[in-house]
Amino acid sequence: RFEKGDISEMEMVRGLFERYPFDAVLHCAAESHVDRSITDPLAYVKTNVVGTVTLLQVAREKWAGQMEGKLFYHISTDEVYGSLGAEGLFTETTSYDPRSPYSASKASSDHFVRAYHHTYGLPVKISNCSNNYGPYHFPEKLIPLVILKALHHETIPVYGDGKQIRDWLYVEDHCRAVDLVYHNGVPGEVYNIGGNNERENIELVQMITTI
């Protein structure tokens, strides 16, 4: 079923849990564009923090006394760890160091998921993925934006000097990883999902324009 609603609205979320006997929540909903988070940070707090806590609270209420076989799977971002530098990959034990309202809101939501696990015994899993790309990608994101600008022979915007390093993960690879974590991951654990495609933004732009 498709139900359109705002995850920060408690009664709407409660209504969903009452209509459907959920065994699991795969929580992918998020405001995710860094630039927009700088101009409108409160929207990111509302969806990413309040929305996540609303889902956690309703799941806790509805599954109280019958947590066996239930799962709250929170899908997050590697941006909670800060900037990817020349030192290499993030790991599951990398300290949090968010650098934007977006990454700060996602870091907060991660902490709330852990808190509900440790405080209330809610069965949770968290995965932190790197930048996704693939078909139907929203055109404000870097890869589709560069492709569209190049196809139309328009100026391609590059933030700063373009030396920021990002890892890129194909969306279907991410989906396979989510399926694996969902079925085989250990409740209470965190899993990083990457594409082993670290490169500077300017290098990626030049590669796309060459193609």
Side-chain angles (χ1 to χ4, degrees), residues 29 59 96 129 179:
Y96 274 34
C129 71
D179 184 67

Side-chain angles (χ1 to χ4, degrees), residues 10-21:
M10 184 73 75
E11 292 312 309
M12 188 282 296
V13 176
R14 280 200 181 108
L16 292 177
F17 273 77
E18 287 164 4
R19 286 197 295 279
Y20 307 108

